[in-house]
Amino acid sequence: MSGMLRLVFALYLVCCVATQQNFNCYYEEKFLAKVYRLEYRVEMLEEKASKEDKDYKECMQCPDGWIQYKGSCYMIVEEKLSFDKARANCQKFNADLVHIDNADENTFIRNHLRTLKGIDFWIGLTDAATEGLFKWVDDNSRATFTDWYPSQPDNGGNREDCVHFKAIGNIQWNDRECYSTEKSICEKKIMF
């Protein structure tokens, strides 16, 4: 109950007791009790509507052609591009190459890629600045979660600095020459 309504209710009770109008006080008390219950119901409905609105927004924030998962939208780009061109292409959509934070997100993406069969996809991870120190291109943070294919990363030929999903076996990460052309995965965060 709002503070103002509580004050009005208290004043009515004081007035009823002071004036000894028991008959009128009874009905005024009943009326105010109903108002109190209605106000409580309105508060509950507003809270429920707010939660449903948030759930609705989570479902509706991704543009057509994008896939929603836990606060992000993902888009599979079919055009084969070098790592830098793939990133620039994602940025045209106010996105970046995918930044994979944890095993759940990685599994979600891998499961989706399995349906596409046999294709490699750039992700937004590179060690181009410092060999062996893999950082995400969107925020320059160090990778705390990785899912390397066995014996990777290997910096083959001393020139593999960009990371992609390797579409063999369990679809895991591999380092590759950044000038190679691959399909890519863009990601952008949902804005509320």
Side-chain angles (χ1 to χ4, degrees), residues 79-191:
E79 184 179 4
K80 287 187 168 189
L81 300 167
S82 69
F83 184 87
D84 289 337
K85 287 183 180 178
R87 182 172 189 217
N89 186 57
C90 289
Q91 290 172 333
K92 289 179 192 175
F93 299 101
N94 296 318
D96 213 324
L97 287 171
V98 66
H99 176 145
I100 301 170
D101 291 310
N102 55 52
D104 289 341
E105 183 180 19
N106 192 63
T107 299
F108 165 76
I109 294 168
R110 274 190 2 206
N111 288 341
H112 187 73
L113 295 181
R114 278 190 180 97
T115 66
L116 304 177
K117 298 188 182 356
I119 308 292
D120 295 346
F121 291 87
W122 289 124
I123 65 175
L125 190 62
T126 181
D127 71 343
T130 305
E131 182 57 40
L133 180 61
F134 286 90
K135 292 187 174 185
W136 295 104
V137 294
D138 65 333
D139 65 3
N140 203 36
S141 65
R142 189 173 188 173
T144 55
F145 167 82
T146 59
D147 186 28
W148 295 107
Y149 190 79
S151 74
Q152 297 299 322
D154 65 357
N155 195 28
N158 219 15
R159 56 187 181 186
E160 293 184 337
D161 293 320
C162 295
V163 181
H164 68 111
F165 272 105
K166 188 174 182 139
I168 60 171
N170 202 24
I171 308 178
Q172 291 176 287
W173 302 2
N174 178 55
D175 57 339
R176 185 163 198 151
E177 301 93 347
C178 298
Y179 60 79
S180 297
T181 58
E182 303 292 350
K183 295 185 178 188
S184 55
I185 306 165
C186 300
E187 176 186 14
K188 64 179 167 181
K189 299 293 182 191
I190 294 175
M191 299 298 174

Side-chain angles (χ1 to χ4, degrees), residues 50-74 190-192:
S50 174
K51 182 187 180 314
E52 287 176 359
D53 187 47
K54 182 180 178 196
D55 292 344
Y56 174 78
K57 284 180 179 178
E58 284 182 13
C59 293
M60 299 305 294
Q61 291 299 315
C62 293
D64 288 342
W66 293 70
I67 304 159
Q68 191 270 335
Y69 178 75
K70 290 189 177 180
S72 286
C73 300
Y74 302 86
I190 294 175
M191 299 298 174
F192 295 105

Side-chain angles (χ1 to χ4, degrees), residues 4-17:
M4 181 59 84
L5 190 56
R6 283 187 182 135
L7 178 62
V8 169
F9 187 66
L11 287 174
Y12 267 110
L13 289 177
V14 168
C15 287
C16 285
V17 171

